[in-house]
Amino acid sequence: MADPSRDDAVFNQSPPFADVNLFASDGALREAVSREGADWAAVDLDVFGGVTGSAAAIEFGRRANAHPPELQSFDAEGRRIDHVAFHPAYHEVMAISMAQGLHGSTWEHLLTGGAPKSGAHVARAAGSYMAAQMEPGHCCPITMTHASVAALRHVPELAGEWLPKILGRTYDPRTAPAAVKSAVTLGMGMTERQGGTDVRANTTRAEPLEGGRGGAYAITGHKWFLSAPMSDAFLVLAQAKAGLSCFLLPRLTPDGDLNGLRLVRLKDKLGNRSNASSEVEFESAQAFLVGEEGRGVATIIDMVTLTRLDCAVSSAGLMRQALARAIHHARHRSVFQRLLIDQPLMAQVLADMALDVEAAVALAFRLARAFDGGTDEDEAAYRRLMTPITKYWVCKTAPALVTEAMECMGGDGYVEEGGFPLLYREVPVNAIWEGSGNVMGLDVLRVLERSPDTVQRVLEGIDQIGRGEPRLKTALDRIEALLASAMRDQSVARALVEQLALAQAGALLLAHAPQAVSDAFLATRLDGARHGTYGASAAKLDAAAIIERAAPAPI
Ligand SMILES: Cc1cc2nc3c(=O)[nH]c(=O)nc-3n(C[C@H](O)[C@H](O)[C@H](O)COP(=O)(O)OP(=O)(O)OC[C@H]3O[C@@H](n4cnc5c(N)ncnc54)[C@H](O)[C@@H]3O)c2cc1C
């Protein structure tokens, strides 16, 4: 204990939030992993939780963001190199996540043969949730690499060549032909200047060199956003004779020269600063058709769906990290001679935030299980409907929660060393990319229109869990009314999506969370008025019990 009479004494400050095992200290996560089918991964996840929560890993994350990547267009002699130089700390976090297999673990059965490992998506989601807390920016290339297999696996020639390298777990950042590398990463290029949502407006052209499935094309045009431009290859959309098509575009040609891919500049982004996002021009870049000509969106959509799951998982991780830090601080900081955690108004705020973290974790991991569900009809319906809904709600809830958690820290929350500015700058991006909020709403309307059955299956699931629970029943009635108007009126899509997210989260918490959590969630999110700012509900919460469960292990 510091001597308070000394001028340089530091007292009444919380100890650094470091060396916290992100798995062991997170009860909601551990339960979700077990409940959704990945109990077998618990020991491994516990080790990964120790690594990602370590002081060393947090420092890697801080440095990787404090020293963003730099574009080096030419070498000293004026030769074009189109190189992006990263801080060594970025390579460290990439190596940690790739060693865990976050860029490919769910696809390993494609190489070894046999069925997908049960619970593989849930186990990977748990790793991604912790990796995002360690350093969120690098999750972009990790996610894209993992998701790319969903498209590539349909072309045996390309899959045979690239899969063994995609599944490698020893990160290899060299610019070298894939054949000599221990592992590769992949990016994706869809967004052009004139449109990201409306990719059918893409103007980038593909001219056949050989033609046919897996055949070579020359790609000419541009992409307005191409993240992780040092990836070894990219899945890009371009207009071929039969329409918009998907191509695999390696960064190097087969003989090891730079392919026709010119990095114009790197984006100066609000957050996500450790990750490079480039503007790029293609000059007859050699690429290979993935899927059929004219079926580009259909080919790449499975990849996009997987990245949407990751957006939700990663935002849930950021929410958890913000909440854990806020609770940690409140346990150590006294104001008016009383610890913040013991002050009723602070407890109300923290508990209210904890409810959204519980809901985000429940939704994200339930969705991950649906990706483990293969062809099971209920799981397929859940995936189809709940992917946009989960992405929408979790990614949109996260920024408000991170802001509130930052405020719980007082002035320290606003200062770089504490880590909150990194979280705060990062957190909006998951709502924007991979389909922004309105796009998720419209996607849900599309499900309603094309397969109303899908919605009914999910609603029945909620009803079965609720068994007449009055607040869930009221929510379901509200949803039925919204469903009726949504068919005529697009503008209610967000209202519908939000209600579906809250009802599904309420059902999951009712079935699996302690009563203090589920009661409070149903009372504040499903009963009557729309939930406003944190801590503003007049409902009486069992704040102590909710916070106790959410609190990271005491330090
Ligand atoms: C950091 C970062 C990295 C990125 N990296 C990549 C990458 O690697 N590869 C890649 O391809 N893209 C990438 N993107 C691009 C991103 O996916 C797009 O920005 C996103 O899809 C939105 O497209 P847009 O910017 O063209 O906006 P627009 O499509 O113009 O949309 C603008 C707004 O309009 C809304 N909207 C669209 N249609 C409708 C409608 N019918 N009704 C109501 N509202 C609508 C959208 O929800 C959005 O809010 C990245 C973006 C960021 C921020």
Side-chain angles (χ1 to χ4, degrees), residues 140 144 187-198 223-228 269 271-272 275 277 429 432-440 442 490 494:
C140 171
M144 291 193 294
M188 76 183 168
M190 299 187 290
T191 308
E192 298 188 1
R193 280 188 284 271
Q194 70 282 358
T197 304
D198 185 6
K223 293 293 164 188
W224 183 232
F225 279 92
L226 185 88
S227 288
K269 295 175 287 181
N272 194 250
N275 177 37
S277 299
V429 77
I432 295 175
W433 60 17
E434 310 305 341
S436 316
N438 287 353
V439 176
M440 295 299 90
L442 296 173
Q490 269 191 7
R494 280 189 180 221

Side-chain angles (χ1 to χ4, degrees), residues 20-46:
V20 176
N21 183 317
L22 299 182
F23 187 71
S25 67
D26 187 343
L29 170 65
R30 287 200 318 274
E31 287 172 21
V33 164
S34 165
R35 170 173 83 236
E36 306 298 2
D39 224 0
W40 53 264
V43 172
D44 181 51
L45 290 170
D46 188 62

Side-chain angles (χ1 to χ4, degrees), residues 65-307:
N65 284 276
H67 305 283
E70 281 176 15
L71 175 60
Q72 299 168 341
S73 301
F74 300 95
D75 70 6
E77 293 76 34
R79 281 179 290 266
R80 203 126 198 169
I81 51 172
D82 292 284
H83 182 74
V84 178
F86 290 87
H87 190 273
Y90 172 83
H91 295 306
E92 296 283 356
V93 291
M94 282 294 290
I96 289 172
S97 287
M98 288 186 71
Q100 183 67 10
L102 301 182
H103 64 298
S105 56
T106 68
W107 301 111
E108 278 165 359
H109 64 281
L110 295 178
L111 275 193
T112 54
K117 188 168 172 72
S118 171
H121 278 281
V122 171
R124 176 182 170 271
S128 304
Y129 170 95
M130 295 188 276
Q133 297 181 61
M134 168 178 72
E135 197 295 300
H138 83 290
C139 295
C140 171
I142 295 288
T143 283
M144 291 193 294
T145 305
H146 173 256
S148 69
V149 181
L152 273 184
R153 69 186 159 149
H154 297 303
V155 189
E157 308 81 30
L158 294 176
E161 183 185 341
W162 286 86
L163 251 185
K165 296 295 173 178
I166 291 175
L167 298 184
R169 289 195 180 203
T170 306
Y171 174 54
D172 187 342
R174 288 176 299 161
T175 294
V180 305
K181 292 186 69 166
S182 54
V184 298
T185 57
L186 271 78
M188 76 183 168
M190 299 187 290
T191 308
E192 298 188 1
R193 280 188 284 271
Q194 70 282 358
T197 304
D198 185 6
V199 289
R200 290 183 195 279
N202 276 191
T203 57
T204 296
R205 303 178 312 281
E207 300 290 338
L209 299 171
E210 298 160 13
R213 188 182 276 240
Y217 285 67
I219 308 282
T220 303
H222 81 281
K223 293 293 164 188
W224 183 232
F225 279 92
L226 185 88
S227 288
M230 296 313 285
S231 299
D232 297 278
F234 307 88
L235 284 169
V236 298
L237 292 178
Q239 302 287 0
K241 199 163 175 215
L244 194 65
S245 311
C246 179
F247 298 90
L248 179 77
L249 191 156
R251 192 155 58 82
L252 301 182
T253 60
D255 42 17
D257 294 334
L258 286 181
N259 201 351
L261 182 150
R262 304 284 170 256
L263 304 183
V264 179
R265 62 175 170 173
L266 298 187
K267 302 280 193 190
D268 184 4
K269 295 175 287 181
L270 166 69
N272 194 250
R273 294 184 73 81
S274 67
N275 177 37
S277 299
S278 66
E279 293 165 22
V280 63
E281 286 173 358
F282 303 126
E283 295 168 8
S284 295
Q286 199 182 28
F288 304 92
L289 183 64
V290 180
E292 285 168 30
E293 256 197 36
R295 303 270 306 149
V297 173
T299 304
I300 213 162
I301 199 69
D302 283 351
M303 171 176 185
V304 174
T305 304
L306 277 172
T307 64

Side-chain angles (χ1 to χ4, degrees), residues 128-130 132-133 312-322 361 423:
S128 304
Y129 170 95
M130 295 188 276
Q133 297 181 61
V313 167
S314 152
S315 282
L318 297 181
M319 290 167 73
R320 164 65 194 169
Q321 179 67 196
V361 169
L423 290 178

